[in-house]
Amino acid sequence: MSQTLSASTLLAVPLAPLAGALLAGILGTKFGGNWIGRRLSHSLTILGVLLAFILSAMTLKSVAMDGARFNETLYTWMVVGGLKMEVGFLIDGLTAMMMCVVTFVSLMVHIYTIGYMEEDEGYNRFFAYISLFTFSMLMLVMSNNMLQLFFGWEAVGLVSYLLIGFWFNKPTAIFANMKAFLVNRVGDFGFILGIGLIAAYAGTLNYTEVFGKASQLAAIEFPWYVLGQDAMLITVICICLFIGAMGKSAQFPLHVWLPDSMEGPTPISALIHAATMVTAGIFMVARMSPLYELSDTALSFVLVIGAITALFMGFLGIIQNDIKRVVAYSTLSQLGYMTVALGASAYSVAVFHLMTHAFFKALLFLGAGSVIMGMHHNQDIRWMGGVRKYMPITWITSLLGSLALIGTPLFAGFYSKDSIIEAVHESHLWGAGFANFAVLAGVFVTAFYSFRMYFLVFHGKERFDQNPDAHHDDHGHGHDDHHEPHESPWVVTVPLVLLAIPSVVIGYMTIQPMLFGDFFKDAIFVDAAKHPVMEELAQAFHGPLAMALHAFSTLPFWLALAGVACAYYMYMVNPALPAAIKRSVQPIYTLLENKYYMDWINENILARGARALGTGLWKGGDQAVIDGSIVNGSWKLVGWVAGVVRRLQSGYLYHYALAMIVGVLVLMSWFVTWPMVNDWLSR
C-alpha cells in the first residue's frame, strides 16, 4: 500500500465475503444441490472474511501511518438528468477504522459459529447469511455516495431479517423478524426523504460535492411551518437522515425491534448488536457532520433522543431475566450514549465509543452464548449461579467485558464513555442539561444491571437444577439437559479471548490519535467557534494514564462503584431485598415489564390504526368510490343511455319519418316561432 490506495485491493475487501457467501449459500444448500459440506462451507466463508480483515488492517496502517487516502468512482451505474448514480469508495480514517472493526468482529463470530451451530440443520445457510451481512456492511461504510450508502443500509436490513428469523419454524422468531423489518422501514422512509432532499437541492449524491454545497443548503428556507416559522432546509434534511438512524441504531421510539431480535441465534446477536448494523446510524451521522454542524436544532433533537434512549432503556435492563436480553438492553443504552455524543458535536467521541463498544459488546454476547451452551440452553439467569468453576474462560472474559462496559478506569469502555460524559457536560445546546443528567444516571444503572447479571450467572449458589419451567429448545444442538455446566469448545473460547484483549487495551492505545490527534481530521468536521466541546476536552486531556488516575476522584467512577456494590448486596448478600422492592413499587415494575407499553401502543394504536385506515381506503375508496361509482357507475350510465336510445331505434320507416317531422317542427319552432314570441313579449 502506498500513498494512494489500490482500487482493486479495496474492491477485494467487500467481494471476498460476498464470494464466500455465494459459494456457501448456493453450493452448500438444497438450493444448489448441496455440493459442498459443512467443513468446506465454513472454511470458505471464514477465509473470505479473514482476507477482508487482513486487507482492512493493511488499509488502516496506510491511512494512519502514511496518510493514504482514496476517493474515486469505480463504476457509473446511470445518469438521470444531471444526477449521477455511482459505485465508489471513500477511504479515510473513519472508514478504515470501521472496516477493521466490522471484519474483525465478523471473523470472531464466524469462528465462534462453528461451535455454536454445530448440530444445526441450517449450518451452511447461516454461514452464507453472516458472510453476506459482512459484505453489506462493508459496502455501507466504504461508500463515497448516498446511493451506495442506501444500498448497504437496506442490504444489512434485509440480511438481518433473514438472520433474526433464521429458525423460521419458531413463531416468536417470525414475529421478531417482521417487527424488525417494519420498524426499520419506518426509519428508512425518513432516511430516503433526507437523501431525496439532498438530491433535489444539491443535484448530487456524492459526499464531497454535497459537503461542498452545505453552506448553500444552509441558506435555503423550507416551507414547512413549525411553531409559526419556516424551518431551514438543512434542519429538515438532518432530522430526516437521523430518523433513518433512529430505526437502524434503535433509538427511542424506533427501538422496539432490537430486544426481540434476540430470537435469532446468539452469534448474530453479537454481529447485529455489536459491530455492524446498529452502529450504521452512528457512522452515518458522523459522516454527515458537515451538514449537522449547520443546524443546532437538529443537534438538539439528536441529543435529546439519545439521552432518552441511554437512560430509559437502561432501566429496562434491570428487570430482564433472559441473559441475551440484558445484553440487548445494554446495547440500546450504549447506542444512546453514542447518539448523545453526536448531538454534542463530539462525533469523534461517538465513533470512538462505537469502536470500543464493538469489542466488549461482542465479547459479552458471545460470552452469553457460551453460557447458554454450557447451561444446555437455559437462558434464564435466575436459574444459573456458580457457573464460574465450570466455565473459567467464559467467566474471566465476561468479567473483563462487564468491567469495560461499566467504564472501569484503564479499560476500553472507560475512555470512550467518560469522554462522552465530559463532552455533554461542556455542551451548551438546548437539551444538554437533561442529557448530562441522563448519561450520569446511566452510569449507575449500567453498572447495576451488568453486575446483577454477572453475579447471578457466575457466583452464588448453584440453581441450574431448580428451574421449574425449563425449556430445552436446543435447536438441534443435541445436549443432554441433565448434565452439569461445561466449558465451551476452543472454537468458542478463542474468539472470547481475542475479543477480551481489545476490550481492555484498545481505549488506552487509541484515545490520543482518535480524539485529539489528526486521525479523523478530514473525515469529521466540527465548527469549533459554535461548538467548542472538543477543544475544551483537549485542554483537559493530559494523556490516557493521567485520565485514568483522575477518574478515581470523579462522579462517574463512584456511581459505577455504587452500582456494582448495590448489585452485590442485593443479589449476593441479601437476595430477598429485590423481591421486597418489587412488591413496594409494583406499578413501576409493571411499567418496566411492559417496556413502557411501547409494544402495546405500536400494536394496538399505530398498527391497528394503520390497518383500519387501509381497510377504509380499500372498502370505501377502492371498492365503493373507484370500483362502485366511477368504474361500475360509468358502464351502468352507458347501459341506461343505450337502453333509452334503443327504444328509438325500432327499424320501422314510418317511425323514422315521424321523428324527422317532429325534428322539423322543433327546429321551425326554435328559429321562427320563438323569435316572434320573444319580440311580442318585449313590446
Side-chain angles (χ1 to χ4, degrees), residues 159-179:
V159 185
S160 73
Y161 170 83
L162 297 173
L163 284 162
I164 295 167
F166 181 79
W167 289 311
F168 49 79
N169 293 320
K170 278 178 72 180
T172 51
I174 297 167
F175 181 81
N177 73 349
M178 185 56 70
K179 187 176 182 179

Side-chain angles (χ1 to χ4, degrees), residues 317-318 320-328 330 360-361 363-365 367-369 371 379-382 384-387 398-399 401-402 405 445-459 463 563 567-568 571-572:
I318 295 172
Q320 300 301 315
N321 295 316
D322 185 308
I323 188 170
K324 285 171 66 177
R325 286 184 179 262
V326 177
V327 188
S330 163
F360 62 73
K361 189 52 58 73
L363 172 61
L364 286 169
F365 266 117
V371 170
Q379 295 185 195
D380 196 324
I381 60 176
R382 292 172 297 180
M384 295 184 184
V387 176
S398 297
L399 176 59
S402 299
L405 171 62
V445 174
T446 302
F448 181 81
Y449 67 66
S450 300
F451 275 83
R452 169 182 177 264
M453 179 182 74
Y454 170 77
F455 289 132
L456 284 175
V457 172
F458 294 105
H459 293 271
R463 300 179 299 278
Y568 181 79
Y571 294 95
M572 292 289 100

Side-chain angles (χ1 to χ4, degrees), residues 9 57 102 151 190 226 384 422 455 470 485-486 561 646:
T9 306
V102 169
F151 163 77
V226 181
M384 295 184 184
E422 287 297 319
F455 289 132
H486 58 82
L561 187 61
R646 193 184 301 121

Side-chain angles (χ1 to χ4, degrees), residues 195-243:
I195 293 174
L197 285 170
I198 290 173
Y201 285 90
T204 180
L205 293 173
N206 185 276
Y207 292 160
T208 308
E209 294 173 8
V210 170
F211 299 155
K213 296 181 178 181
S215 56
Q216 299 174 31
L217 296 175
I220 301 173
E221 287 191 352
F222 192 76
W224 176 30
Y225 288 94
V226 181
L227 302 176
Q229 296 181 340
D230 280 347
M232 301 305 292
L233 174 66
I234 196 74
T235 300
V236 178
I237 289 173
C238 290
I239 289 176
C240 284
L241 291 175
F242 182 67
I243 289 171

